[in-house]
Amino acid sequence: MATIIDGKAFSANLRAEIARKVAILKQNHSVTPGLAVVLVGEDPASQVYVRSKGKQTVEAGMNSYEHKLDVGTSQADLLALIDQLNNDPDVHGILVQLPLPKHIDEESVINSISVDKDVDGFHLSNVGRLSIGAEGIVPCTPLGSIMMLKDHLGDLSGKRAIVVGRSNIVGKPMAALLLAESCTVTIAHSRTQDLPSECRRADIVVAAVGRPEMVKGDWIKPGATVIDVGINRVEKEDGSTKLVGDVEFESAEKVAGAITPVPGGVGPMTIACLLHNTLQQACRLNGIDVPE
Ligand code: GUN
């Protein structure tokens, strides 16, 4: 049976470390990291995420600035708010919750965020930096995934990795991070031929397609490490719902060497990495080294 990679415990440790460093930053430099989260509209899932981000930001000792805008907010008004946050010295991270309403162009909004406050790592400059292996801000979910992989496996160099899914938020940056760790990387997607065989070659499988339980146990090479990024709500036979990943956990845990569960795997790492990025940028914007 596979070792369960406990993202809940890992993220709790990471958040405690961040809180410790924030306390040092406040004490020694009078700087309190600040994260602004912008939510447009009332998407229920987004509201849950935003609440959770705000709570954990405050628990880490940082300032949380929440901006909740009406669903009918114009793109011009949203850009004006971002401009204000870009120029606010108390704000070190800006996150605009996605998806945005249809009348707003997401790319224009994301690229209007100051590169050094783009704690999601979605700005074209940060995407470009990651793709050439330069220093920049790394998207939170892939960052959390690579942290867990390195913690579990140590050196990743030379390992065969497959990323199933090619989204801009997870699949592509994940592949770039694995490449930076000197893995041999395959990116699979909906047009990939014989996906099960491609997966079976991999020492590391990262599933990020958003299809419930798509990756089966017999697609996994015995002993491989499986990172399940999926969070899918599915209906059970009795009509109630439960969360499942993109990997069929029951069959996969019998074959894998290690696997992240859903919930309690990658999920909690995402917000912890958001706080990590905010702390890094608060230091950078103030010309201070991140406390040891
Ligand atoms: N919506 C779903 N995931 C994310 C994320 O990581 N960042 C932002 N800004 N919005 C999201």
Side-chain angles (χ1 to χ4, degrees):
M1 287 292 249
T3 302
I4 305 297
I5 300 177
D6 185 348
K8 212 172 153 184
F10 195 116
S11 65
N13 283 338
L14 182 56
R15 282 184 284 120
E17 261 304 280
I18 293 167
R20 187 182 63 75
K21 292 176 183 178
V22 167
I24 294 171
L25 202 60
K26 285 178 171 176
Q27 175 116 50
N28 294 357
H29 301 278
S30 302
V31 170
T32 303
L35 172 64
V37 175
V38 181
L39 173 62
V40 185
E42 293 177 2
D43 177 72
S46 292
Q47 284 179 324
V48 172
Y49 287 134
V50 166
R51 206 170 312 133
S52 202
K53 283 169 192 163
K55 181 166 171 275
Q56 294 189 31
T57 303
V58 171
E59 281 170 3
M62 303 186 186
N63 288 328
S64 170
Y65 307 100
E66 280 184 22
H67 295 268
K68 294 186 176 167
L69 307 181
D70 188 84
V71 68
T73 300
S74 70
Q75 181 164 323
D77 283 350
L78 179 56
L79 291 174
L81 171 62
I82 291 172
D83 185 54
Q84 179 198 318
L85 297 171
N86 281 342
N87 290 299
D88 185 339
D90 292 333
V91 172
H92 309 103
I94 302 170
L95 181 146
V96 178
Q97 185 67 31
L98 303 178
L100 287 167
K102 297 258 177 299
H103 66 278
I104 296 177
D105 178 42
E106 273 182 10
E107 225 180 281
S108 305
V109 171
I110 288 167
N111 291 315
S112 75
I113 297 171
S114 159
V115 179
D116 287 323
K117 296 189 179 185
D118 166 43
V119 282
D120 257 332
F122 294 167
H123 190 290
L124 279 175
S125 292
N126 283 314
V127 174
R129 286 175 184 174
L130 180 58
S131 86
I132 64 165
E135 220 176 284
I137 308 178
V138 176
C140 302
T141 301
L143 180 58
S145 300
I146 206 90
M147 280 182 186
M148 288 195 289
L149 275 173
K150 286 170 77 171
D151 182 66
H152 185 71
L153 291 172
D155 184 11
L156 305 183
S157 81
K159 295 196 183 296
R160 276 186 190 279
I162 188 165
V163 180
V164 187
R166 54 175 158 180
S167 70
N168 292 333
I169 292 183
V170 183
K172 285 178 197 151
M174 188 72 217
L177 287 173
L178 289 163
L179 185 59
E181 295 296 330
S182 301
C183 291
T184 302
V185 184
T186 300
I187 305 176
H189 46 77
S190 54
R191 299 292 176 91
T192 295
Q193 291 182 18
D194 198 359
L195 179 58
S197 298
E198 292 290 345
C199 286
R200 266 180 225 120
R201 285 150 41 97
D203 306 306
I204 295 168
V205 177
V206 179
V209 266
R211 283 168 160 259
E213 302 182 313
M214 187 182 84
V215 176
K216 310 297 180 195
D218 66 358
W219 299 15
I220 307 292
K221 174 162 135 180
T225 304
V226 178
I227 303 291
D228 189 351
V229 180
I231 302 179
N232 310 285
R233 188 165 286 284
V234 295
E235 198 163 315
K236 292 196 287 187
E237 279 162 17
D238 66 3
S240 63
T241 65
K242 63 169 178 174
L243 289 181
V244 299
D246 291 348
V247 178
E248 190 180 71
F249 186 83
E250 204 182 327
S251 57
E253 76 162 338
K254 295 192 173 83
V255 188
I259 185 167
T260 60
V262 176
V266 175
M269 288 300 289
T270 299
I271 297 182
C273 287
L274 177 67
L275 302 179
H276 167 88
N277 284 349
T278 304
L279 169 63
Q280 297 279 322
Q281 294 316 111
C283 293
R284 186 182 167 80
L285 287 160
N286 284 286
I288 303 165
D289 288 337
V290 180
E292 288 292 321

